[in-house]
Amino acid sequence: MARILGIETSCDETAAAIVLDGRHIEANVVASQEAVHRETGGVVPETASRLHLRALVPVLEETLARANRDWREIDAVAVTHGPGLAGSLLVGLNTAKALAFARDLPFLGINHLEGHVYANWLVDSAEPRFPLVALIVSGGHTDLVLMEAHGRYRRLGRTRDDAAGEAFDKAARMLGLGYPGGPAIQRAAEGADPQRYSLPRAWLKGSYDFSFSGLKTALLRTVQSGGSEPVVPDLAAAFQEAIVDVLATKTIEAARQFGAQTIALAGGVAANLPLRARVQELSHVPVLIPPVRLCTDNAAMIAAAGHFRFEAGERSELDLDAFPSLPIA
Ligand code: KG4
Ligand code: ZN
């Protein structure tokens, strides 16, 4: 029985959580900066880190209070140390280090993407079985990953340009639908006709990589094509359909090829209802999908990932660095 305190500040949510045994949430607090970033149509990094500074201590206090736990009942502190926005990461990372040092607690730095995958351990179902194919789709990442055991990953494919969430966000801006784009496009597309417009899919045959820049350009051309006014709901539906089509098809193909026992969806874009429905419809193995509040950034997923590393005896040193993106050789 281990009780892990998780902290997540990689982008625009200030989050803390307490998770028991990597599977049971005792408290999960997220202070969203969304309203502020809506004003600027996206996240301004300096604004994000300042808001984390202001919110993190109250969020931590709220988390302990909601779980009705005392510091003495916490077994370890797990924190996102990358990838993400540098200034934002540093707020969470340094707070976690200070807490671990002051309370003499084990300390673990967790990869944000690994955290997203572990949101699937927080759902009320049987424990996910390996090998598992995970589709990690967020504002910054689109990765198809084969997970062979706890902490053992093989990347099968990734985006060659925009992340799926980024594509949603840019498309929503072109269509005048606001930020964040994914939920706005999903809402606009409800009940619309995805067949009115034909948008391209980059299949990149023989590879599990993705590409969304051609789709984005095609959308822009349609919006600007001078002819009749674009029908925004139908365009949103066609755009969403093109992304869902490629993401779902490749995930299912990978699951077949690598004999997956489970498919797991992860990251903010996994909140997309048509994507969830399509993968479930096509899959021959159980599909795990976290509830929407655990798909978008939160600290419960970081605590869950931290639990399995903690149980495996791993510890991070207090000089652990933040890594905003992958190291450049
Ligand atoms: O994982 P996340 O909360 O933050 C990152 O780590 O990036 O993902 C945020 C992304 C945004 O691009 C947002 O537009 C997208 O997830 N998103 C969605 C939906 N909800 C959030 N995309 C499509 N459909 C949704 N319902
Ligand atoms: Zn994320």
Side-chain angles (χ1 to χ4, degrees):
M1 282 279 190
R3 182 174 285 114
I4 312 291
L5 173 77
I7 297 177
E8 151 67 39
T9 63
S10 68
C11 188
D12 59 343
E13 323 279 5
T14 313
I18 295 174
V19 169
L20 186 64
D21 272 347
R23 300 217 61 192
H24 307 289
I25 297 175
E26 293 191 330
N28 184 25
V29 178
V30 179
S32 177
Q33 306 178 356
E34 199 175 288
V36 177
H37 298 307
R38 203 176 288 132
E39 305 274 309
T40 43
V43 178
V44 176
E46 179 64 16
T47 308
S49 31
R50 285 174 190 233
L51 292 173
H52 285 308
L53 269 179
R54 199 184 297 162
L56 187 51
V57 170
V59 162
L60 281 162
E61 284 169 348
E62 173 80 19
T63 303
L64 285 157
R66 279 200 210 169
N68 200 15
R69 295 292 170 199
D70 184 78
W71 278 106
R72 283 170 300 223
E73 295 171 280
I74 303 293
D75 296 302
V77 179
V79 62
T80 305
H81 73 120
L85 301 171
S88 292
L89 287 168
L90 286 172
V91 175
L93 182 60
N94 287 318
T95 305
K97 285 180 183 177
L99 289 170
F101 182 73
R103 305 274 172 190
D104 198 19
L105 287 170
F107 162 73
L108 294 121
I110 299 295
N111 181 297
H112 181 75
L113 299 176
E114 175 171 67
H116 273 302
V117 173
Y118 274 90
N120 286 291
W121 267 260
L122 297 168
V123 295
D124 244 347
S125 66
E127 182 124 356
R129 292 176 59 200
F130 301 118
L132 172 156
V133 162
L135 175 69
I136 311 171
V137 271
S138 71
H141 296 268
T142 299
D143 289 285
L144 199 54
V145 171
L146 179 67
M147 186 176 181
E148 290 155 324
H150 284 296
R152 275 230 327 267
Y153 307 94
R154 220 169 103 195
R155 185 192 272 127
L156 305 175
R158 67 196 305 182
T159 182
R160 294 185 185 172
D161 38 61
D162 289 352
E166 188 182 357
F168 270 109
D169 292 336
K170 287 178 179 166
R173 204 172 308 158
M174 287 178 211
L175 295 173
L177 291 171
Y179 171 89
I185 290 207
Q186 184 184 306
R187 240 176 287 124
E190 259 169 51
D193 173 17
Q195 313 286 357
R196 179 194 294 262
Y197 297 98
S198 143
L199 294 175
R201 285 118 170 95
W203 290 109
L204 308 177
K205 282 271 175 249
S207 157
Y208 285 117
D209 280 355
F210 302 93
S211 166
F212 299 111
S213 65
L215 171 63
K216 191 180 62 186
T217 310
L219 177 72
L220 185 63
R221 238 184 259 125
T222 311
V223 171
Q224 294 178 334
S225 71
S228 55
E229 266 304 291
V231 183
V232 169
D234 291 350
L235 251 184
F239 181 83
Q240 175 174 254
E241 174 64 23
I243 292 195
V244 166
D245 206 8
V246 176
L247 290 177
T249 305
K250 291 203 172 212
T251 303
I252 300 294
E253 266 175 32
R256 287 234 163 78
Q257 181 179 346
F258 294 96
Q261 298 288 312
T262 315
I263 289 177
L265 301 188
V269 181
N272 186 266
L273 296 176
L275 175 65
R276 298 157 83 101
R278 181 74 56 84
V279 174
Q280 263 169 331
E281 177 191 315
L282 297 178
S283 179
H284 58 295
V285 295
V287 179
L288 293 178
I289 313 177
V292 171
R293 75 194 156 85
L294 294 176
C295 284
T296 48
D297 290 346
N298 65 86
M301 66 186 198
I302 302 302
H307 169 85
F308 291 97
R309 292 198 174 270
F310 176 75
E311 290 290 304
E314 287 184 37
R315 304 292 182 262
S316 300
E317 298 295 328
L318 284 176
D319 64 356
L320 181 74
D321 272 336
F323 67 105
S325 61
L326 295 174
I328 296 160

